[in-house]
Amino acid sequence: MTTRIGVIAIQGDVEEHVIALEKTLVERREKGEVVKIKHQGIVDSCDAIVIPGGESTTIGRLMEREGIFQELKEAAEEEKPIWGTCAGMVLLAKEGDEEVAKTGQPLLGLMDVKVKRNAFGRQRESFEVLLKMSIFDGYFHAVFIRAPAITYATDSVEVLATLNGQIVAAKQKNILALSFHPELTVDRRIHHYFLDLG
Ligand code: GLN
């Protein structure tokens, strides 16, 4: 079986995701490829899709304009694994905070959660922590960059990690959302966890 993983390549840290996913496929000894999604017509051929970090307003608007929004909703219905990191987490949510409302940015609404953009304050733009995650033993070295967080989740959402009382990793069926950036560090446990959702 060949695994085809698509990375939304409109803006943000696309390259880092592509490289980390390629390494993960090698580690799994799986035949596969990682493709960049810039336009309509590619999502359907992918087995799993990643939405990277970046500017959620820009990524969301362009995805909608390119018709990728609708394709991702269909992929979610087919229960394909979809993973959003940081800005990607914002886009997966059903509901946003005032900042999201102010910009009028479109959301995919694939997860029953409410998100807050820049949830850790602007003065603490980026930081790193050793995070306890329910799915792993030990800690995960997590890099946060102007990170959002989930401030509310329904019971159908599984909380995988919290920080300062806010949810920073969560899963609902095959949809995974993280506030931080595992594509920037060497630990690929979350990448494997994501591909195992398929
Ligand atoms: N704060 C950004 C946003 O909501 C996300 C930052 C990031 O992806 N590193 O668009």
Side-chain angles (χ1 to χ4, degrees):
M1 199 193 95
T2 304
T3 314
R4 192 169 153 97
I5 310 165
V7 178
I8 303 293
I10 284 174
Q11 188 265 337
D13 67 337
V14 177
E15 239 22 85
E16 290 83 349
H17 268 288
V18 171
I19 291 165
L21 287 162
E22 283 173 347
K23 287 182 179 163
T24 311
L25 284 173
V26 171
E27 283 165 5
R28 295 166 76 86
R29 297 190 173 80
E30 252 175 67
K31 253 222 239 152
E33 58 176 346
V34 184
V35 295
K36 293 183 190 168
I37 302 173
K38 286 193 205 305
H39 307 289
Q40 202 171 23
I42 304 168
V43 169
D44 193 42
S45 68
C46 296
D47 304 300
I49 300 109
V50 175
I51 311 172
E55 244 348 290
S56 59
T57 34
T58 311
I59 301 174
R61 284 197 187 118
L62 288 169
M63 277 207 294
E64 195 179 45
R65 195 196 297 166
E66 292 295 329
I68 298 172
F69 248 52
Q70 193 48 39
E71 292 182 326
L72 280 178
K73 288 180 188 174
E74 284 160 21
E77 260 170 47
E78 290 165 25
E79 304 206 341
K80 287 183 179 174
I82 301 178
W83 174 17
T85 58
C86 207
M89 168 196 261
V90 174
L91 291 164
L92 287 172
K94 254 200 184 124
E95 208 188 323
D97 62 347
E98 322 75 59
E99 207 180 326
V100 173
K102 204 166 63 195
T103 58
Q105 64 190 111
L107 302 178
L108 284 159
L110 298 178
M111 252 186 147
D112 295 321
V113 299
K114 179 169 180 177
V115 286
K116 181 175 165 57
R117 287 182 68 186
N118 301 305
F120 298 92
R122 289 185 187 277
Q123 58 279 54
R124 232 182 131 204
E125 285 234 315
S126 48
F127 57 95
E128 301 180 19
V129 292
L130 290 174
L131 190 68
K132 187 78 202 95
M133 297 188 74
S134 63
I135 45 176
F136 305 129
D137 290 333
Y139 292 91
F140 196 93
H141 177 187
V143 177
F144 290 78
I145 306 167
R146 292 188 303 282
I150 293 172
T151 50
Y152 170 78
T154 67
D155 288 344
S156 40
V157 177
E158 190 186 335
V159 175
L160 307 181
T162 60
L163 185 64
N164 302 341
Q166 306 189 95
I167 301 167
V168 293
K171 177 179 102 78
Q172 184 170 10
K173 285 195 185 150
N174 286 353
I175 315 277
L176 178 65
L178 297 189
S179 300
F180 51 96
H181 294 270
E183 74 282 8
L184 300 181
T185 48
V186 291
D187 188 339
R188 276 186 287 279
R189 280 178 294 169
I190 297 178
H191 287 79
H192 286 285
Y193 174 79
F194 171 63
L195 292 182
D196 285 341
L197 295 176

